[in-house]
Structure formats: C-alpha cells, structure tokens
Amino acid sequence: MKKCKKNHASNEKGGRVAVTRFLQQLTDEAVEIDRLILLSLHRGRMPRCAEADRREFEFEQKRRVKQRLTYLKKKKLVKEKKAQGRLLVELTDKGKKELVQRTIRERPKLLDKQVCLVAYDVPVTASGGRDGLRYFLRSAGFIRVQKSLWQSDRDVQQDVKTFIKKVGIEDWVVMFLAKRQ
C-alpha cells in the first residue's frame, strides 16, 4: 500500500481530530479495546483491493488505535481496567475535561465578524460557580475583555448554556451574540 506524504501542519491537525474522535468514543462508559479497534476500522475507508491489502489496512488501523491509546494513557486521559476477563478503557476526570475543551475549541467560527459575549455578576455566596465559569471560559478559548465580560469567535453558545445550567448560575449570567464593527 502506498503512503502519501502530507505536510506537517495537516498531520498535526489530523492527529488532534483523531484523538478527539477517540475520546468521544469513550464518553459514556468503559469500552472494550477490541470494540475500539472495530469502531476505528469503520471510520476509515476500506480499500477495494485484494485480501492482502485489506489485512494490511486492518493492521495499520489497529496500530493507530494502539498508538492513540498509548498517548492517552501517557497523558492520563484514559485508564484501563479488567472486568470479567476483558480489558476495558474509560475516560478519567482529566480525560472528560480534555474532551470538553477539545470539542469546544473545534467548534466552527461564527460568521460575519460575530462574537459570543458572556457577562456575569455572580454573588459572593456562589463564588464556586463564578470560579468554575471563569475556568470553563478560559479553557474554552474565550478572551477576557473586562473583569466579568468574555468573548469568543466560536459557535459555543449551547455549550456555555449547558455549563451554566449544570452549575446553577443561570440567574447571574447573560450571553449575547454581537457583530463586531
């Protein structure tokens, strides 16, 4: 099978996307390693060639899955565990945070110079929610405009709304979609 050369930038982006897809497959529950390999095989394109090419393709896919898994274990984003004689993989808390950050940062940019603005005035009694919101906004790629005003050029409104509801600070947070002049 011939390998085509790609420039370094596209390989880097492709690797990020592949790792994000890999993390998404682990979102809800622990997954058996063999199932991860099968999921990966169906994501790729199966060559329409002889049996040998198909086996080589499957071998390459398995190698890639193992590489991603090794990378994620090294970064402590996933953990392995044995259950009923099977080897399972599941996201760690750090892995769940990483998945949220990657998902938000890969959202498409807003059109026509639009920005998503988040303003808040959370009371001292709910300071944990305020600190969590600031951490979330920073890790989601928002830029701080003023002390309690943040902006992003990504389409992340639904993600922010979900976080605000989960933390229970919706009464003190306002979100706007504005057009830059």
Side-chain angles (χ1 to χ4, degrees):
M1 215 155 95
K2 292 183 180 179
K3 291 186 179 181
C4 55
K5 293 182 179 179
K6 296 180 181 178
N7 64 18
H8 182 69
S10 67
N11 279 341
E12 196 173 289
K13 183 177 182 189
R16 274 197 312 265
V17 171
V19 169
T20 303
R21 278 194 202 131
F22 201 81
L23 287 170
Q24 287 170 341
Q25 292 172 356
L26 298 171
T27 53
D28 295 331
E29 66 217 28
V31 178
E32 195 173 351
I33 290 180
D34 293 336
R35 184 160 181 257
L36 279 176
I37 292 170
L38 284 174
L39 288 170
S40 177
L41 285 173
H42 293 295
R43 287 243 184 222
R45 293 189 183 127
M46 202 58 126
R48 297 181 184 190
C49 301
E51 179 68 22
D53 286 343
R54 187 185 66 74
R55 279 183 289 183
E56 185 178 337
F57 176 79
E58 288 177 359
F59 175 78
E60 184 65 24
Q61 290 294 336
K62 286 181 182 180
R63 186 186 65 76
R64 287 182 182 160
V65 168
K66 288 179 182 178
Q67 274 182 333
R68 289 182 194 129
L69 191 58
T70 301
Y71 170 79
L72 295 173
K73 284 192 294 188
K74 186 172 127 184
K75 295 285 186 180
K76 297 184 178 163
L77 301 176
V78 297
K79 62 183 174 184
E80 290 181 346
K81 66 179 185 180
K82 287 188 179 186
Q84 301 171 355
R86 299 183 318 179
L87 188 59
L88 303 175
V89 181
E90 67 181 350
L91 287 174
T92 61
D93 289 339
K94 184 178 176 182
K96 290 174 185 175
K97 288 177 188 176
E98 180 73 18
L99 177 60
V100 169
Q101 290 173 0
R102 284 174 178 262
T103 303
I104 290 173
R105 288 186 180 201
E106 291 175 7
R107 293 272 189 242
K109 288 193 173 196
L110 292 167
L111 304 174
D112 300 327
K113 297 183 180 180
Q114 290 182 325
V115 291
C116 176
L117 296 172
V118 177
Y120 60 89
D121 188 15
V122 181
V124 175
T125 57
S127 64
R130 181 180 57 232
D131 295 341
L133 178 63
R134 271 198 307 260
Y135 176 79
F136 174 80
L137 294 172
R138 191 177 306 116
S139 65
F142 275 75
I143 298 169
R144 191 168 125 183
V145 179
Q146 290 184 354
K147 189 154 183 124
S148 61
L149 180 66
W150 295 71
Q151 79 173 18
S152 173
D153 61 349
R154 301 269 174 198
D155 186 12
V156 293
Q157 296 159 312
Q158 194 58 44
D159 299 310
V160 174
K161 285 179 187 175
T162 303
F163 178 82
I164 291 168
K165 279 189 177 181
K166 200 175 225 180
V167 176
I169 56 173
E170 56 267 324
D171 293 340
W172 304 296
V173 181
V174 183
M175 193 168 17
F176 301 98
L177 191 60
K179 188 171 183 177
R180 222 185 281 174
Q181 291 284 340

